[in-house]
Amino acid sequence: MRRILKIEYERSTHNLGMLLALLMGIGCILYQVIPVILRIIESKDIYKNTYTSFTRGGFYNLWLPGYLDGSTIYYFYFIGIIVALPFGISYVRDKNSGYIKNICNRVEKKKYLKAKFISTFISGGCAAVIPLIIDFLIVRLIIPIDCFEDIKGTVLNGITDWNAFIIQHSYIAFVIILLMWFCFGGALATISLMASAFSSNYFTIQLSPFFFMMILFYLPSFLPDSYGKYFPYNFLSLFGKGNPFICFVEITLILIVTYVAFVIGETRKDIL
Amino acid sequence: MIRLLRYDLVCGFAANIKKIVMFVIVMILYNVIAYHEIMAFCKGTGIKPGMLDYFCYVLGGPKYIPENMLDIYEIPVMWLMVQIMIAYIIGYYAITDLHRYGQHILLRSESRIKWWISKIIWNVITVLSMYAIVFLMTFITGYISGAECKGKLTEEICVGVCKLSSVTQNEKLLYIELFIMPVIISVSISILQMTVALITYPIIGFVVSQSITFLSTIYTTKILLSNYAMLSHSRYTCFSNIVYSDGLIYGFIVMIISIFVGSIYFNHVDILPKNKDI
């Protein structure tokens, strides 16, 4: 199991899809952050008005999950494609090329499928979270993480337990947010594996997490506002009233469904 | 050339039949939502809807977002789904055909340019067919709801339900902005998508075309082509500089450049399938 997992992990992270996914994510980050840096550089009064306006609300007001900008919304919109790009179509590609027959001669099919599931989860999570880490490193150049001079009117102003936790334990909250994004990105990527159990069209498989996210964007309009916290735009960003518990419960549900459909479902099928 | 075109039309539609059925289902859902929203508004206000109000709801585009007011932005999922489904139908056929049976067709046609032009014509006809479905289903929805054929937009419905900032009653502008511009811009973007898909990968073509479309719902600028397809972003309904005449020229330029670049690339590329990563 360790050997096949290593092979699949190498394949999932060292490919053109991962590069393109990271380029898309980093492009969004740079679009968001560069104008802010330029404004600070151009401002003559750097230690007075301009700097103070950025420190209001602290680090979380400038970081992608808390910064309301076209690039943030773009990142949320295309997250389904970003996570599926690295390894989403690998199973169908293996089947079509005959690679799966060579692998299943050497390794139990269930182990191969589990290794693929884990690698897809990790590659999807990395594609989702690496741009956030880069954004953190850049924003951290401008503002300290635990500086909350005046949160009135900023993204952390909402009266929720999660916002209070972020203010009190900034570093721990930062790690939890990264973990949420990593696990959610990974779970979304496994949806493409589930789609590959039902379809052999590469395009459909790569777009299946994207269509899933479109459904999750649309459903809140049919439900009362109090249900909004159960949807990704609210629990992954700092604008809504979501919290990590809801996020991890939903991730677990998605992983259970995709695991059953892909690993258990495909183990029973013949590879010929 | 005619045989090539006939092959593309028959096989192109046959290969995408499931996606076309999905598109019809999406349009039925969209029209049901349009019917319920407009009828609920009309019951509350006592106004009678016109046929054009339904077309405005479906084709008018998302709400205009002034600069620095992103907190009022909501992703216009249903309007985007129409564009996504068209991109989804267009996205993959040309490239898969090239790597499968289409290679034999290409050999027999003895001309790469003819193959490429046939694909362009297939692309245009597919987009026109999709919009024909949109128009037909919206007309049926308006007919079932008893909408009047007024030839004008009802201001209260357009501002209250369709999310326009204001309404123009200039009929010529209205018909151009509501019926002709969405089709022309969609055709331009689809041809651009197919060219990018040919040169790189189908998923990248999809991302490029949908990035232009999605960013147009946020930023009302002349650079983003899809702005010209939205009545709600036009100068005649909001404070923007989007004029349909610029859109026509821009759309045709994008179309011609895409066709030209695609034909040059296709004339020189190795058409044998490679083991691609994505």
Side-chain angles (χ1 to χ4, degrees):
Chain A
M1 175 77 184
R2 204 182 286 175
R3 213 196 252 177
I4 187 69
L5 183 59
K6 192 180 167 190
I7 293 170
E8 290 297 310
Y9 173 74
E10 289 281 328
R11 288 178 70 204
S12 70
T13 48
H14 294 79
N15 62 49
L16 183 61
M18 178 61 102
L19 181 65
L20 286 170
L22 291 177
L23 280 174
M24 273 179 78
I26 292 167
C28 290
I29 301 303
L30 291 177
Y31 179 81
Q32 175 221 335
V33 138
I34 285 175
V36 170
I37 294 173
L38 286 175
R39 264 188 285 160
I40 291 178
I41 291 170
E42 279 168 10
S43 164
K44 290 174 189 175
D45 225 346
I46 192 168
Y47 291 108
K48 286 195 180 170
N49 297 330
T50 310
Y51 194 69
T52 310
S53 71
F54 288 118
T55 59
R56 283 183 67 241
F59 162 83
Y60 288 96
N61 223 39
L62 278 184
W63 194 33
L64 187 124
Y67 186 73
L68 186 57
D69 185 51
S71 58
T72 311
I73 305 171
Y74 181 93
Y75 194 68
F76 271 103
Y77 185 69
F78 281 106
I79 190 77
I81 293 180
I82 289 171
V83 299
L85 272 174
F87 214 42
I89 54 167
S90 62
Y91 181 64
V92 171
R93 201 174 276 292
D94 288 352
K95 274 203 293 191
N96 289 346
S97 64
Y99 177 83
I100 194 172
K101 291 177 206 163
N102 289 314
I103 287 288
C104 292
N105 278 337
R106 292 160 174 77
V107 170
E108 213 180 299
K109 191 181 180 189
K110 196 167 187 180
K111 286 184 182 171
Y112 162 71
L113 293 172
K114 277 185 191 171
K116 186 154 298 286
F117 189 86
I118 294 167
S119 307
T120 306
F121 178 84
I122 292 172
S123 64
C126 288
V129 94
I130 287 173
L132 261 65
I133 294 172
I134 292 172
D135 192 25
F136 162 74
L137 292 171
I138 296 173
V139 173
R140 194 69 177 78
L141 293 170
I142 305 166
I143 181 167
I145 193 170
D146 52 1
C147 174
F148 298 107
E149 281 185 17
D150 177 14
I151 62 163
K152 195 176 165 188
T154 66
V155 74
L156 293 177
N157 195 33
I159 308 165
T160 63
D161 292 338
W162 176 227
N163 282 359
F165 182 86
I166 292 172
I167 293 167
Q168 284 168 11
H169 308 283
S170 312
Y171 294 98
I172 300 172
F174 167 72
V175 171
I176 293 173
I177 291 171
L178 281 185
L179 201 60
M180 282 160 63
W181 276 84
F182 179 83
C183 294
F184 191 80
L188 262 191
T190 58
I191 290 175
S192 59
L193 279 186
M194 184 175 78
S196 60
F198 300 105
S199 168
S200 57
N201 184 316
Y202 292 169
F203 208 39
T204 305
I205 293 167
Q206 275 176 322
L207 290 179
S208 49
F210 177 71
F211 285 129
F212 178 73
M213 285 299 286
M214 289 297 283
I215 296 171
L216 293 184
F217 284 136
Y218 195 55
L219 279 178
S221 57
F222 289 114
L223 302 169
D225 283 344
S226 56
Y227 288 94
K229 63 185 178 185
Y230 297 112
F231 292 91
Y233 192 71
N234 288 314
F235 60 64
L236 287 179
S237 73
L238 300 175
F239 311 121
K241 293 184 179 168
N243 62 60
F245 177 72
I246 295 169
C247 176
F248 288 120
V249 166
E250 293 198 14
I251 287 166
T252 311
L253 287 171
I254 295 172
L255 286 174
I256 290 171
V257 169
T258 53
Y259 184 87
V260 166
F262 178 66
V263 176
I264 297 172
E266 284 296 297
T267 306
R268 293 177 187 175
K269 289 185 191 168
D270 194 357
I271 56 169
L272 292 171
Chain B
M1 180 75 199
I2 303 232
R3 278 158 134 197
L4 196 53
L5 188 57
R6 197 170 60 194
Y7 162 78
D8 272 327
L9 288 174
V10 169
C11 293
F13 279 98
N16 286 318
I17 193 80
K18 286 184 197 168
K19 294 174 189 169
I20 293 170
V21 168
M22 264 175 70
F23 182 75
V24 170
I25 293 170
V26 165
M27 282 318 303
I28 291 173
L29 182 66
Y30 197 10
N31 280 287
V32 164
I33 294 166
Y35 173 82
H36 278 291
E37 291 218 357
I38 291 177
M39 292 314 285
F41 184 84
C42 292
K43 268 185 192 159
T45 53
I47 301 168
K48 209 145 191 296
M51 190 63 81
L52 280 182
D53 298 326
Y54 283 90
F55 283 99
C56 183
Y57 187 96
V58 171
L59 293 167
K63 191 173 170 179
Y64 167 66
I65 306 290
E67 223 175 297
N68 300 325
M69 285 183 70
L70 275 176
D71 46 335
I72 60 169
Y73 177 76
E74 281 176 22
I75 297 178
V77 175
M78 289 314 293
W79 184 85
L80 282 168
M81 275 308 289
V82 176
Q83 315 303 323
I84 288 167
M85 289 307 301
I86 293 174
Y88 180 46
I89 291 166
I90 297 294
Y92 205 51
Y93 168 68
I95 312 310
T96 38
D97 184 61
L98 182 61
H99 295 319
R100 289 179 194 162
Y101 193 67
Q103 282 194 334
H104 303 284
I105 303 293
L106 182 60
L107 282 168
R108 278 159 179 75
S109 68
E110 295 176 5
S111 168
R112 290 187 178 214
I113 289 289
K114 281 184 187 170
W115 186 92
W116 176 240
I117 291 173
S118 172
K119 287 290 180 286
I120 296 285
I121 296 173
W122 165 81
N123 189 325
V124 171
I125 291 176
T126 306
V127 174
L128 292 175
S129 316
M130 296 304 114
Y131 270 94
I133 294 174
V134 171
F135 293 147
L136 179 67
M137 300 197 79
T138 312
F139 178 78
I140 292 171
T141 308
Y143 183 77
I144 291 171
S145 73
E148 292 173 345
C149 289
K150 285 192 242 183
K152 306 182 179 186
L153 293 172
T154 313
E155 185 157 1
E156 292 85 353
I157 294 175
C158 290
V159 172
V161 184
C162 308
K163 301 188 175 73
L164 260 57
S165 307
S166 65
V167 164
T168 176
Q169 297 299 355
N170 182 330
E171 280 187 26
K172 179 186 151 202
L173 274 173
L174 194 59
Y175 286 111
I176 292 174
E177 294 267 4
L178 203 49
F179 294 106
I180 297 175
M181 289 308 294
V183 178
I184 291 176
I185 300 301
S186 278
V187 166
S188 306
I189 290 180
S190 299
I191 294 174
L192 175 66
Q193 180 187 342
M194 202 169 76
T195 306
V196 174
L198 178 73
I199 296 172
T200 56
Y201 298 94
I203 191 71
I204 295 176
F206 181 88
V207 168
V208 165
S209 70
Q210 292 313 298
S211 297
I212 294 170
T213 307
F214 178 71
L215 289 172
S216 299
T217 66
I218 304 174
Y219 302 112
T220 310
T221 66
K222 288 192 172 215
I223 295 172
L224 294 168
L225 189 54
S226 290
N227 274 306
Y228 299 98
M230 303 177 199
L231 178 64
S232 57
H233 285 203
S234 157
R235 194 176 73 176
Y236 310 106
T237 58
C238 67
F239 294 111
S240 71
N241 55 0
I242 306 294
V243 179
Y244 77 89
S245 50
D246 293 344
L248 279 171
I249 298 167
Y250 189 7
F252 280 116
I253 290 173
V254 166
M255 226 186 281
I256 291 164
I257 291 175
S258 304
I259 295 170
F260 184 63
V261 166
S263 62
I264 293 177
Y265 175 81
F266 192 63
N267 249 341
H268 298 100
V269 77
D270 178 9
I271 61 169
L272 291 173
K274 297 168 200 56
N275 193 19
K276 291 185 175 181
D277 278 337
I278 59 166

